Amino acid sequence: MNSTFLFIGAGRMAESMIKGLQSAKGQNLSIIAANQGNKERLQHLFSMYGVETTTDWLHHVKESSVIVLAMPPEAHEAVLEQLSTMIEGQLVISVAAGIGLKKLENPLPPGTPVAWVMPNTAAETGESISLYTYADTLNENQVKLLELLLNSIGKSEYCSEEQIHKLTAVTGSAPAFLYEFASALINAAAGYGILEAQARKLVSQMIYGSAVMLQSGVSPIDLRNAVTTPGGATAAGLDVLNQAGFGMLIENAVKATNEKAAELGGKQENEEK
Ligand SMILES: NC(=O)c1ccc[n+]([C@@H]2O[C@H](COP(=O)([O-])OP(=O)(O)OC[C@H]3O[C@@H](n4cnc5c(N)ncnc54)[C@H](OP(=O)(O)O)[C@@H]3O)[C@@H](O)[C@H]2O)c1
């Protein structure tokens, strides 16, 4: 059976998902991409992936099996309101930070199947770790379509809605923290006269190798200890980080990210408990 994915929002995340779905071989899929008027962007998606594009997404709701809201959290309220006039049981998936299931369900007709997915930037290379949850109104085929989307951009983990709110920073935003760290290392290398291109190559392989070590199942503390001789050079560097409260800084960054995501998604304080 042919399934049509309608993307409302045609930015970076929509493109990663479209790219992923296009390479999900053997699937009978159609894709329509819409935004709020950026025609160049739609032209780009058409020429890169051959998908149908429109600025009038409302007229494509009926023919769609899955509607993916790949736009900022602030845009959801108005779009859901419009969607509610046309939708007839199609699966609605949002990838926006801070949204949650209730925020999707409330404006839509009762029983509309909804899912919330929190991917990350590595979806672009098929290496996202995506958190997801869904309402119990999804039928078997809709769960399969959700899984198809998730698998097309990397790995995924089913979570409770509350866990996604708490983990948004850790999986969705922490890549930016890591890139900040990488950039600081590259700058430190530049201070010793190392060219940027060379430093970037070294730092990215260092991060990749460290990630592979982490995936082997050894704890980060054991891995850290394995490269830290007491009183040695690495220990001297770690002392600087710890004296500056590195762990606490990260904790505060996670908290600030989650609070902002909840605010942008319109999550009420009392929902967070
Ligand atoms: N990028 C990531 O790594 C990442 C990770 C996790 C979650 N997300 C979530 O994914 C969503 C999209 O992020 P992005 O990075 O793809 O953003 P983006 O590149 O800025 O794209 C946003 C898209 O939303 C469209 N849009 C905005 N308001 C709209 C409206 N009222 N109706 C229809 N389309 C509308 C924009 O259309 P125009 O261009 O026409 O204005 C644009 O196509 C956000 O909610 C974000 O939280 C992103």
Side-chain angles (χ1 to χ4, degrees):
M1 198 181 75
N2 187 53
S3 301
T4 299
F5 281 72
L6 169 63
F7 284 82
I8 309 179
R12 282 162 299 157
M13 189 44 70
E15 180 166 2
S16 298
M17 292 180 150
I18 289 169
K19 186 168 150 192
L21 284 172
Q22 289 288 46
S23 51
K25 298 235 179 337
Q27 300 295 334
N28 212 356
L29 295 180
S30 304
I31 298 174
I32 305 171
N35 59 14
Q36 60 176 352
N38 182 342
K39 292 213 167 74
E40 275 172 29
R41 184 70 195 156
L42 294 182
Q43 180 57 39
H44 164 77
L45 293 178
F46 170 73
S47 54
M48 284 296 289
Y49 310 102
V51 297
E52 189 179 341
T53 62
T54 179
T55 45
D56 184 13
W57 57 262
L58 205 51
H59 285 101
H60 294 271
V61 171
K62 266 198 178 6
E63 72 194 85
S64 302
S65 333
V66 182
I67 294 146
V68 184
L69 307 181
M71 61 203 182
E74 315 86 272
H76 276 55
E77 197 177 334
V79 166
L80 284 165
E81 206 173 297
Q82 279 182 286
L83 196 53
S84 70
T85 61
M86 293 299 281
I87 198 155
E88 290 171 336
Q90 295 94 323
L91 171 60
V92 177
I93 303 173
S94 173
V95 300
I99 283 293
L101 298 179
K102 278 273 160 292
K103 194 92 176 132
L104 297 172
E105 277 170 339
N106 286 345
L108 295 171
T112 302
V114 297
W116 182 31
V117 172
M118 183 45 51
N120 76 18
T121 182
E124 196 178 326
T125 56
E127 291 291 350
S128 175
I129 175 65
S130 307
L131 313 175
Y132 72 103
T133 195
Y134 55 85
D136 56 14
T137 40
L138 270 69
N139 63 34
E140 210 178 306
N141 188 48
Q142 288 169 329
V143 172
K144 282 197 183 126
L145 290 170
L146 172 64
E147 286 171 351
L148 175 70
L149 180 69
L150 290 164
N151 293 339
S152 76
I153 54 168
K155 297 191 170 58
S156 58
E157 184 93 353
Y158 180 84
C159 293
S160 71
E161 182 170 345
E162 206 43 49
Q163 283 174 323
I164 301 185
H165 282 294
K166 304 285 187 217
L167 289 170
T168 290
V170 172
T171 58
S173 305
F177 305 167
L178 189 70
Y179 299 140
E180 186 77 11
F181 178 70
S183 174
L185 279 181
I186 291 165
N187 288 341
Y192 291 105
I194 308 295
L195 292 178
E196 207 250 341
Q198 188 180 20
R200 202 191 303 175
K201 181 172 133 197
L202 301 178
V203 168
S204 61
Q205 178 60 28
M206 179 281 293
I207 291 173
Y208 177 76
S210 305
V212 173
M213 294 288 280
L214 269 173
Q215 285 193 326
S216 72
V218 182
S219 83
I221 296 300
D222 286 345
L223 289 170
R224 181 202 65 190
N225 290 345
V227 289
T228 313
T229 309
T234 304
L238 275 174
D239 280 350
V240 172
L241 290 178
N242 290 331
Q243 277 159 22
F246 185 69
M248 185 58 75
L249 263 183
I250 297 296
E251 218 173 283
N252 288 342
V254 165
K255 201 162 167 261
T257 303
N258 288 343
E259 281 173 5
K260 188 69 180 178
E263 181 193 319
L264 292 174
K267 191 167 183 276
Q268 303 300 309
E269 263 308 299
N270 58 6
E271 279 179 65
E272 224 173 328
K273 302 210 167 86

